[in-house]
Amino acid sequence: MTFTDEPRPVGPLRLLGLRQAAFDDAHFYLLDGAGHRARLDFSRLGDRCEVVCDRRISHIPLLIPIVGLRLLLKEHVLLHAASFVHHGTGVLVTGWQKGGKTETMLPFMAAGADFVADEWTIVGGREPTLSGVSGVARLWDWHLRQFPQYWPLIRPRARARLRLWRLYRRLYGLAPGLDRLPGRPGRGLRRLSMDGGTDWQGVDQIDPAALFGDRVRRGHVSLDRVFLPVVGQEDRIEILPVAGAEVAKRMVSSLAFERAALTTAYLQFRFAFPDRTSPLIETAREREERVLGRTLADVPAFELRHPYPVALQDLYEAAAPYC
């Protein structure tokens, strides 16, 4: 990763999309909202691929999927998953976005588990292992109401914002007929009043040590159990055995979904340079299915169906016996 003054184009610069990407006679660029560029060569991803960024760029583009491709070459998968250690058992909680990964992890943490990751977990190795690469991605206000011990540990500005939302929710419930207001304004007000209805009700990117103290694991831990949480329509919690191989196949599709921004950028790159390809990107799905299939094959796995929102203590009491 290199930061420099604005990279000079080689020849005329041509834009792709509405300031999404660009290319010149030799290089491909991704742009931030202000048009600042990051130069990368997709044909070298996984190898010694250098990303050259304008110093003024707002964020490093595609960092997580690029790291994931590098790990894939080393026979590991960067999985969208929470993970923790409960009474010596290494637990992986993985699934589609908004399926309930943090909701499963949090009550185990409240019961004394050790934290590994909340959003991204590296899995793989000869003896299946877990290691974390992220902090706590997000806690929602309804999480904090159920586990108030974490409330004083979040940032004061976040607490003030959530207090304001709680006041709005109370006023919304008291206003007669507001829940029947038609059209887009009514839908927007109703959504804002619902738990998890907008990002405004969450607290992002929390240092796990701020919440869990010294119960944060660094390095590898054993992979002993897998939970696949999904939101069900029934108002009850169910836990059903599922083959690890099936979890692997499902998560390959989830990984492809998570990689959508990289896939789009790669297609733009191929438009700019039709003769330059990335064998790693084009074989990523097959590689992931092989690594995950091998890693999860013999690990006891369970589908965890639950309503949303869910009583987090009930979720713990249902899942803990399977650990």
Side-chain angles (χ1 to χ4, degrees), residues 256-305:
F257 175 78
E258 299 285 351
R259 202 166 42 242
L262 183 142
T263 302
T264 297
Y266 177 59
L267 292 174
Q268 292 170 321
F269 172 81
R270 291 297 311 278
F271 174 87
F273 303 104
D275 298 327
R276 290 158 65 179
T277 64
S278 170
L280 180 56
I281 292 178
E282 295 187 2
T283 61
R285 186 183 182 99
E286 292 77 11
R287 291 170 181 263
E288 288 165 343
E289 188 167 357
R290 184 183 69 250
V291 173
L292 286 177
R294 182 181 66 242
T295 301
L296 302 181
D298 299 321
V299 180
F302 305 91
E303 183 176 306
L304 176 54
R305 300 177 188 171

Side-chain angles (χ1 to χ4, degrees), residues 13-300:
L13 190 69
R14 287 87 93 192
L15 297 177
L16 295 174
L18 296 175
R19 303 181 71 86
Q20 297 172 350
F23 65 100
D24 58 27
D25 291 346
H27 305 297
F28 178 80
Y29 306 90
L30 291 173
L31 312 180
D32 69 5
H36 302 133
R37 303 196 301 270
R39 188 180 74 208
L40 67 163
D41 184 349
F42 280 87
S43 64
R44 300 189 63 185
L45 285 184
D47 191 13
R48 295 183 177 275
C49 173
E50 183 180 27
V51 181
V52 180
C53 296
D54 187 323
R55 298 182 193 280
R56 299 167 297 171
I57 202 163
S58 59
H59 63 280
I60 300 171
L62 304 177
L63 180 59
I64 290 294
I66 288 173
V67 170
L69 289 173
R70 180 65 178 170
L71 288 167
L72 193 54
L73 281 180
K74 298 179 178 294
E75 298 292 300
H76 286 74
V77 171
L78 182 60
L79 199 60
H80 193 196
S83 48
F84 54 88
V85 179
H86 176 67
H87 295 163
T89 299
V91 181
L92 177 73
V93 187
T94 191
W96 199 263
Q97 283 186 359
K98 309 296 183 185
K101 293 178 288 295
T102 300
E103 286 77 9
T104 303
M105 179 268 297
L106 192 60
F108 277 91
M109 295 307 305
D114 288 352
F115 178 89
V116 177
D118 178 41
E119 189 171 18
W120 296 103
T121 301
I122 302 169
V123 301
R126 291 183 179 179
E127 297 293 330
T129 61
L130 307 169
S131 54
V133 295
S134 66
V136 178
R138 171 170 292 171
L139 292 184
W140 293 97
D141 183 71
W142 67 273
H143 296 160
L144 296 166
R145 295 200 305 271
Q146 294 192 41
F147 289 112
Q149 64 266 40
Y150 296 125
W151 175 262
L153 304 179
I154 64 173
R155 298 181 294 274
R157 183 176 296 181
R159 292 200 301 270
R161 172 166 49 81
L162 294 180
R163 287 191 185 100
L164 183 61
W165 176 73
R166 291 178 180 185
L167 175 61
Y168 164 79
R169 192 181 186 192
R170 287 196 296 271
L171 293 175
Y172 181 87
L174 292 173
L178 196 58
D179 59 341
R180 297 188 298 275
L181 191 67
R184 183 176 296 178
R187 290 194 299 272
L189 292 173
R190 281 192 295 277
R191 183 174 180 181
L192 184 58
S193 72
M194 297 167 57
D195 280 320
T198 68
D199 291 347
W200 199 59
Q201 302 166 19
V203 184
D204 294 335
Q205 299 302 328
I206 307 170
D207 179 0
L211 296 178
F212 312 127
D214 60 359
R215 292 186 291 114
V216 177
R217 293 287 188 102
R218 309 295 182 186
H220 300 290
V221 301
S222 63
L223 170 54
D224 304 307
R225 296 290 186 278
V226 177
F227 286 114
L228 185 72
V230 293
V231 177
Q233 289 188 320
E234 301 293 332
D235 191 24
R236 66 176 185 271
I237 298 170
E238 293 183 283
I239 298 183
L240 304 171
V242 61
E246 181 179 341
V247 176
K249 290 179 180 179
R250 291 190 189 183
M251 290 312 300
V252 167
S253 293
S254 176
L255 286 163
F257 175 78
E258 299 285 351
R259 202 166 42 242
L262 183 142
T263 302
T264 297
Y266 177 59
L267 292 174
Q268 292 170 321
F269 172 81
R270 291 297 311 278
F271 174 87
F273 303 104
D275 298 327
R276 290 158 65 179
T277 64
S278 170
L280 180 56
I281 292 178
E282 295 187 2
T283 61
R285 186 183 182 99
E286 292 77 11
R287 291 170 181 263
E288 288 165 343
E289 188 167 357
R290 184 183 69 250
V291 173
L292 286 177
R294 182 181 66 242
T295 301
L296 302 181
D298 299 321
V299 180

Side-chain angles (χ1 to χ4, degrees), residues 108 227 237-239 304 312-322:
F108 277 91
F227 286 114
I237 298 170
E238 293 183 283
I239 298 183
L304 176 54
L312 299 180
Q313 185 61 31
D314 291 350
L315 202 59
Y316 169 77
E317 291 174 0
Y322 294 88

